[in-house]
């Protein structure tokens, strides 16, 4: 029977104080977790839960889309007119350098997760 080893069949019960229960709820809320059983199981097995704030990554994606859109506009203009302005190239270079710096900070932040 494939997948049978994955079934949860052992029930574990314990009692906690009101203060402890409130603390557990607060920690779950901080992490955005709503399933108490999953939270307690994960904490009992691993002792920690990593919650990643994806806001910085979403901002990097937004900036990459803007840069990509600008590059497409510059390319379209170059194809239509046969030329492109040095200021446009420098603008893209500056934006890409900024994006690379931001990406480097994100990657270093991920590397420091332990």
């Amino acid at each position: 029977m494939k997948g049978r080893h994955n079934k949860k069949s052992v029930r574990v019960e314990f009692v906690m104080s009101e203060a402890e229960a409130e603390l557990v709820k607060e920690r779950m809320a901080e992490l955005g977790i709503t399933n108490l059983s999953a939270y307690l199981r994960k904490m009992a097995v691993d002792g920690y839960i990593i919650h990643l704030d994806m806001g910085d990554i979403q901002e990097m994606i937004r900036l990459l889309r803007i840069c990509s859109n600008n590059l497409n506009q510059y390319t379209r203009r170059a194809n239509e007119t046969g030329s492109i302005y040095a200021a446009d190239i420098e603008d893209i270079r500056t934006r890409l350098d900024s994006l690379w710096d931001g990406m480097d900070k994100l990657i270093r932040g991920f590397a420091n997760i332990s």
Side-chain angles (χ1 to χ4, degrees), residues 22-34:
E22 193 58 39
L23 187 57
V24 167
K25 287 179 186 176
E26 287 174 15
R27 292 206 175 141
M28 286 176 56
E30 288 173 5
L31 295 170
I33 297 173
T34 58

Side-chain angles (χ1 to χ4, degrees), residues 2-112:
K2 193 173 183 179
R4 185 131 175 100
H5 67 280
N6 233 1
K7 299 281 184 184
K8 294 169 184 69
S9 61
V10 177
R11 184 173 187 86
V12 177
E13 294 182 32
F14 62 95
V15 179
M16 65 176 82
S17 70
E18 290 289 331
E20 291 170 330
E22 193 58 39
L23 187 57
V24 167
K25 287 179 186 176
E26 287 174 15
R27 292 206 175 141
M28 286 176 56
E30 288 173 5
L31 295 170
I33 297 173
T34 58
N35 186 326
L36 177 62
S37 180
Y39 174 78
L40 294 175
R41 195 169 35 256
K42 181 71 173 166
M43 291 302 292
V45 172
D46 295 335
Y48 62 90
I49 296 176
I50 296 175
H51 175 70
L52 298 176
D53 178 10
M54 303 301 277
D56 291 340
I57 293 174
Q58 289 171 339
E59 178 64 9
M60 289 298 297
I61 290 170
R62 185 185 74 80
L63 294 172
L64 284 168
R65 284 184 179 135
I66 290 171
C67 192
S68 176
N69 186 38
N70 288 345
L71 180 60
N72 287 338
Q73 290 173 0
Y74 296 148
T75 303
R76 197 173 307 123
R77 185 183 329 156
N79 285 333
E80 290 171 356
T81 64
S83 65
I84 190 165
Y85 300 107
D88 291 342
I89 298 296
E90 188 57 35
D91 179 50
I92 286 182
R93 180 170 287 137
T94 302
R95 288 175 190 247
L96 285 174
D97 287 344
S98 176
L99 286 170
W100 277 113
D101 290 343
M103 190 60 70
D104 185 56
K105 288 177 187 173
L106 282 174
I107 291 171
R108 289 180 193 275
F110 287 137
N112 290 331

